[in-house]
Amino acid sequence: QTITCLDMDPNRNLITWIGGAGLSGMTCVAVDEGDIVNAANAAAGHSDIVLIDVAGYLQQGIVYAVGVASIAVIPCRPALGEVIEAGRTQQVILNASRLLDRTILHTALLTQIDRRAEVTPHTKSQLADFGIPVLEANVASRTVYQKAWYKRCSPLDLQDTKAHQEI
């Protein structure tokens, strides 16, 4: 499969991390929020999957990205503020669904979690209270992810068995 990643975050975090990894079949492109709809439509014409990274504070950008999305994944760390932001993001998605007269699937992905911590199931419960589905898969807080970030590679390149199983 081919994947095009559109990095709309002004910090270009996706390009910094994944773009430098040289993964086969994956391309990362920087896109400004005003160009996201055209870029997403163009990428959909030649890629099997189009992934868009949006900075949470780009309200216009998130509406555009959600509007062209088949599914929206809301990353959420186990913290009350993160759950509240996930709820706000869900509201944007629901409004875009009504505007477009189509359902935009969405789910939360728990990130930077400690599976033994009491707060993890509590976060899942809070997301459920908001009506936000949560993926069974999650991303633990592991040094390998930070290491991959600094080395500009995939965590898979670092031969970490636990990260490989998570991914």
Side-chain angles (χ1 to χ4, degrees):
Q1 288 190 333
T2 57
I3 302 169
T4 298
C5 300
L6 303 175
D7 193 348
M8 196 168 43
D9 184 336
N11 294 326
R12 303 297 185 223
N13 292 329
L14 190 63
I15 286 177
T16 300
W17 186 19
I18 295 177
L23 300 173
S24 177
M26 183 177 283
T27 318
C28 287
V29 180
V31 180
D32 292 326
E33 68 178 323
D35 300 324
I36 193 63
V37 173
N38 289 336
N41 288 335
H46 60 77
S47 295
D48 298 310
I49 297 171
V50 178
L51 184 137
I52 303 171
D53 183 24
V54 180
Y57 61 86
L58 290 177
Q59 286 301 316
Q60 182 179 5
I62 196 170
V63 170
Y64 292 158
V66 165
V68 296
S70 299
I71 184 168
V73 178
I74 307 166
C76 183
R77 290 179 293 213
L80 179 59
E82 294 278 329
V83 172
I84 291 168
E85 282 304 310
R88 289 180 179 146
T89 300
Q90 180 190 42
Q91 192 58 52
V92 170
I93 293 165
L94 295 175
N95 286 340
S97 289
R98 285 190 285 280
L99 180 68
L100 297 169
D101 197 27
R102 70 175 178 89
T103 300
I104 299 170
L105 300 175
H106 61 283
T107 186
L109 170 65
L110 294 181
T111 63
Q112 299 179 12
I113 67 162
D114 176 348
R115 292 193 176 97
R116 298 167 299 186
E118 207 175 283
V119 72
T120 301
H122 187 63
T123 299
K124 287 181 182 180
S125 174
Q126 289 174 322
L127 289 165
D129 288 347
F130 275 127
I132 301 172
V134 180
L135 288 174
E136 262 186 58
N138 51 56
V139 181
S141 181
R142 296 191 192 287
T143 304
V144 69
Y145 296 118
Q146 294 166 336
K147 193 182 222 180
W149 173 263
Y150 283 106
K151 290 183 175 263
R152 294 185 177 188
C153 66
S154 165
L156 299 174
D157 296 332
L158 299 177
Q159 308 302 314
D160 182 286
T161 305
K162 287 184 180 181
H164 184 77
Q165 289 171 343
E166 277 182 348
I167 293 169

